Amino acid sequence: MGATESTAEETTTVDESTGSCEDEEDDATTGTAQVLTLLRVMGNGLRNLCYFRCRSAIEEFDQLSNSQHQTGWVLCRIGKAYSELSDYINARKVFEKVRELEPYRTDHMELYSTVLWQLGDSVALSYLAHQLTELNSHCPETWCAVGNCFSLQKEHETALKFFKRASTVDPSFPYSHTLSGHEYIASENWDKALACFRTAISLDERHYNAWYGLGTIYFRQQKYTIAEYHFDKAITINPRNSVLYCYSGMVLQARKMYPEAIKMLESALRIDPKNTMAKFKKAAVLVNWGKYDAALKEIKELQALAPREAPLYLLMGKIRKKQGKLSKALECFTMASDFDTKSVLSRKIKAAINKVGVPDEDDDIEAEKDDDEEIGEL
């Protein structure tokens, strides 16, 4: 009897031990599967972001559990995705959450400062720059934020000083060189701007912002073939950026390649239907092409988005003049003058009014640089 009871106890102990091992193995298998799922989702999100498939990246990251989603690393990538989509409102909300969760983080704060620059929020940008300088004055992101703060105030020399400091702190940081290049463009120092953008590209060949910067310089210098090459290079890297297609269309317009320009501008509008500059440029190209009714249709659609912008009425007045409708042309020029609150286009508007009855010397209506810059601010 005693031997039988002992054997039964041993069997029970072995069964319990076996069951415990099986439970541990199941837990380990489940844990491994969860980790692999986490890595797959984060990897897919990061891959989509690297290829500028920004909406897909956001969707991937949104699949994460709340404990993983609400982390600085993930939210910074989501904020970057929104900024690449030019959705600066949502980008700001995400970066604000990052500051709340991880106020010690400097990674990606240069992008947050650029988002605030795009939104024109000088107060928030100044506060961010102040926080970062107190937190860490030995990282390039801090000085990029400070530089953006002065750039927003159009203090280009001071902004350059801080962007250069960012490059000194970390010479391998491409973004600081690119920001310096754009400040040099603002002061029309083309040679130094070219050097900055080329340095950024030497550090990161996929830094499309620098390719765009080079294209902008050559466009301003009216070297259209070279400009087109650099814009196309930027598009190859980031084929989902509306601004790049818009500038490529502007180059084609300058080269009088109107059908090709229209295709580029329509691509820009497919990516971002709210790109007002692309719609304005499309109207200008249609005028050059002699398609006045189609151009007027584009302008009327644009007026629904921005009804009080002087460049729209100036262009509409030029179209009416081309059509021989001089009274309507004069009415449009007058409205352009009324809406030109900053007096940016006053010289051109006055010239247009004074010459409303004089035939145009050139059949083409070129999109002047001032018009482009103004409509780009809508």
Side-chain angles (χ1 to χ4, degrees):
M1 275 299 281
T4 303
E5 291 177 358
S6 177
T7 302
E9 290 176 359
E10 289 175 1
T11 302
T12 303
T13 303
V14 170
D15 289 342
E16 291 176 353
S17 177
T18 302
S20 177
C21 289
E22 289 176 352
D23 291 341
E24 290 178 1
E25 288 177 1
D26 289 342
D27 291 342
T29 301
T30 302
T32 301
Q34 290 175 344
V35 171
L36 290 175
T37 300
L38 172 63
L39 292 175
R40 176 182 58 78
V41 173
M42 294 179 74
N44 284 338
L46 188 58
R47 181 184 61 183
N48 284 325
L49 185 57
C50 288
Y51 283 102
F52 300 100
R53 297 191 289 260
C54 297
R55 296 196 186 281
S56 297
I58 293 170
E59 289 172 2
E60 284 287 343
F61 288 130
D62 284 346
Q63 294 180 34
L64 294 170
S65 64
N66 188 65
S67 60
Q68 296 295 336
H69 187 276
Q70 296 297 300
T71 59
W73 191 94
V74 171
L75 290 175
C76 279
R77 272 70 192 175
I78 294 174
K80 180 180 180 181
Y82 277 123
S83 67
E84 290 289 354
L85 292 168
S86 299
D87 187 351
Y88 301 117
I89 300 295
N90 277 319
R92 175 179 182 160
K93 291 178 181 177
V94 173
F95 281 121
E96 284 177 345
K97 187 65 177 178
V98 173
R99 298 297 301 160
E100 178 185 332
L101 292 172
E102 301 179 9
Y104 50 82
R105 177 178 286 273
T106 58
D107 179 43
H108 281 69
M109 289 302 103
E110 78 283 1
L111 295 181
Y112 181 28
S113 72
T114 297
V115 167
L116 294 174
W117 187 96
Q118 292 286 355
L119 293 172
D121 192 336
S122 58
V123 175
L125 183 52
S126 297
Y127 183 60
L128 174 65
H130 175 72
Q131 284 184 311
L132 292 175
T133 51
E134 288 191 336
L135 178 65
N136 188 349
S137 61
H138 300 288
C139 68
E141 293 88 350
T142 293
W143 300 115
C144 285
V146 176
N148 270 335
C149 188
F150 285 99
S151 175
L152 185 58
Q153 304 301 324
K154 299 190 183 302
E155 297 182 30
H156 301 302
E157 290 297 324
T158 307
L160 269 168
K161 182 178 74 172
F162 289 111
F163 291 145
K164 288 179 180 178
R165 184 176 294 183
S167 299
T168 301
V169 170
D170 185 357
S172 65
F173 194 65
Y175 198 62
S176 60
H177 297 284
T178 297
L179 291 175
S180 293
H182 284 298
E183 290 305 308
Y184 280 124
I185 286 178
S187 57
E188 298 188 351
N189 192 332
W190 310 125
D191 290 338
K192 289 187 176 181
L194 285 169
C196 289
F197 291 131
R198 286 169 180 162
T199 300
I201 291 170
S202 69
L203 294 169
D204 180 5
E205 289 186 356
R206 297 190 73 253
H207 191 59
Y208 78 90
N209 314 71
W211 289 103
Y212 161 76
L214 290 173
T216 302
I217 293 171
Y218 291 121
F219 178 70
R220 296 281 187 90
Q221 294 177 330
Q222 299 184 356
K223 298 177 180 178
Y224 299 126
T225 303
I226 306 176
E228 184 181 2
Y229 166 79
H230 286 88
F231 287 134
D232 286 348
K233 187 73 175 180
I235 289 171
T236 301
I237 298 168
N238 183 359
R240 296 170 181 82
N241 187 293
S242 179
V243 174
L244 299 179
Y245 286 96
C246 184
Y247 268 84
S248 184
M250 289 162 61
V251 170
L252 292 167
Q253 178 197 14
R255 297 180 64 190
K256 303 186 186 300
M257 299 170 65
Y258 302 134
E260 293 83 357
I262 289 293
K263 288 180 181 178
M264 278 292 180
L265 292 166
E266 286 178 344
S267 295
L269 290 167
R270 276 195 296 273
I271 295 169
D272 181 8
K274 295 181 180 179
N275 186 335
T276 52
M277 186 172 75
K279 205 162 189 65
F280 178 79
K281 297 304 300 182
K282 183 181 177 182
V285 173
L286 288 168
V287 175
N288 294 158
W289 205 359
K291 299 181 181 294
Y292 302 133
D293 291 336
L296 286 171
K297 181 182 176 182
E298 294 293 330
I299 291 176
K300 287 178 181 178
E301 290 177 1
L302 188 50
Q303 283 178 315
L305 298 173
R308 301 178 63 83
E309 292 296 329
L312 300 182
Y313 293 94
L314 179 58
L315 180 58
M316 188 183 295
K318 291 178 180 180
I319 295 171
R320 293 304 189 188
K321 183 179 177 182
K322 287 283 186 180
Q323 292 176 322
K325 300 177 180 179
L326 301 185
S327 60
K328 287 189 175 181
L330 184 59
E331 180 183 344
C332 291
F333 292 145
T334 303
M335 292 182 72
S337 180
D338 292 340
F339 291 137
D340 186 32
T341 55
K342 299 179 182 179
S343 299
V344 175
L345 301 174
S346 59
R347 177 180 57 82
K348 294 177 183 178
I349 295 171
K350 288 177 181 177
I353 292 173
N354 293 334
K355 295 180 180 180
V356 71
V358 180
D360 293 324
E361 295 179 0
D362 191 346
D363 289 334
D364 278 350
I365 297 179
E366 299 295 341
E368 294 90 343
K369 183 179 74 172
D370 291 344
D371 290 352
D372 297 339
E373 292 174 349
E374 183 70 9
I375 203 72
E377 294 175 0
L378 297 183

